[in-house]
Amino acid sequence: MNEHSPARGARIKDVARIAGVSTATVSRTLSNPDIVSEDTRKAVLAAVDQTGYSVNLSARHLRQQRTGGILALAPNLANPFFSEILSGISDVLRGAGLNLIVGDTSVNDDARVRLVDYANRARCDGLIVLDGSLEPEVFTRSQCPPVVQACEWITGLPAPRVFADNEAGAELVVDHLAGLGHRRIGRVSGPPSNSLTRSRDAGFRRGLERHGLAADVVIEGDFSLASGQAAAERLCASDDRPTAIFCDNDEMACGLMGALRRAGLRVPDDLSVVGFDDIELSRHLTPALTTVHQPRKTIGLRAAEILLERIEGRAVPEETRVPVSLCPRDSTAAPPG
């Protein structure tokens, strides 16, 4: 089987003849363009365009003893948060001629065990892990291919991490609410063991301290709509609630706002609400949700790029922190009274 297959009769020697180089140079250019000069690369690619020649990726993967697939493990594909990240990953892999395989880790224990069995060089060339709750031992076995962590990260796993600046985002929330005049700011957190929860907690508390404030109330959630609804029920049952609430993600904020409205409380007149993530739904709520925007597609793109660099044996940064920004919308206003 040849690495390069003919398209409309074109052969590798036709490309070499038109480009004025050897067939070996054509092969090197198409397999690893960084090792040839720019002039050579341009000449070969122009000849490829002229002849309609195409690369047989299956043959290349076989020659390189690779599968041609990258596995991404995400904790709940029903959550719209992950769609843009996976889109960014897919864009990079498509350009590299690789397939994206996606596994949902929010399954029963037996299925989860079978899923992590795919963390094997015989099944995939690399992994992008978006679930910080997995055991690090799964990815430190000798048969595991290169790993990159995205969004969340696993304590004790020495693999590169690509994530939004969660601490800075939480500080932006406090700055915004304090700037509106809020002095009693509560929070609906994610699970305490989650890496995102810990980072956002650190930024939240640092922001409060800078403004001379203390957390008014912290309600533990699990990033779901249901936990946002449960938090609203607790707030409604209190006679002494805060004037603003920061939710660790948009999904909990959506659940919170819906339950508050059903209970007769108005957002932001009675209670200001802020989320984190800027999912598509957040701007279509009534009122539109003030939230922290994290460029999820950029996270996916960078995670995939770093993984490809690792697969090629290149040095990569241990940590890549992607900047975030605040999106002020209608769910926040000055405190009542």
Side-chain angles (χ1 to χ4, degrees), residues 79 133 152 166 170 186-202 204-205 217-228 231 234 245-253 274-277:
N79 188 334
S133 71
E152 299 183 14
N166 296 285
R187 176 166 163 248
V188 182
S189 77
S193 62
N194 185 275
S195 55
L196 301 181
T197 302
R198 295 195 301 268
S199 294
R200 291 170 191 176
D201 181 69
F204 179 67
R205 294 184 182 281
V217 61
V218 177
I219 301 172
E220 183 182 323
D222 61 8
F223 294 135
S224 69
L225 283 166
S227 64
R234 284 187 55 180
I245 286 285
F246 165 46
C247 298
D248 272 13
N249 75 338
D250 286 351
E251 196 163 348
M252 290 194 297
V274 184
F276 200 114
D277 290 337

Side-chain angles (χ1 to χ4, degrees), residues 155-171:
T155 302
L157 178 59
R161 302 182 295 176
V162 182
F163 56 91
D165 196 337
N166 296 285
E167 294 187 23
E171 286 194 73

Side-chain angles (χ1 to χ4, degrees), residues 137-148:
E137 292 77 14
V138 171
F139 308 103
T140 55
R141 297 175 298 178
S142 60
Q143 65 267 38
C144 185
V147 175
V148 170

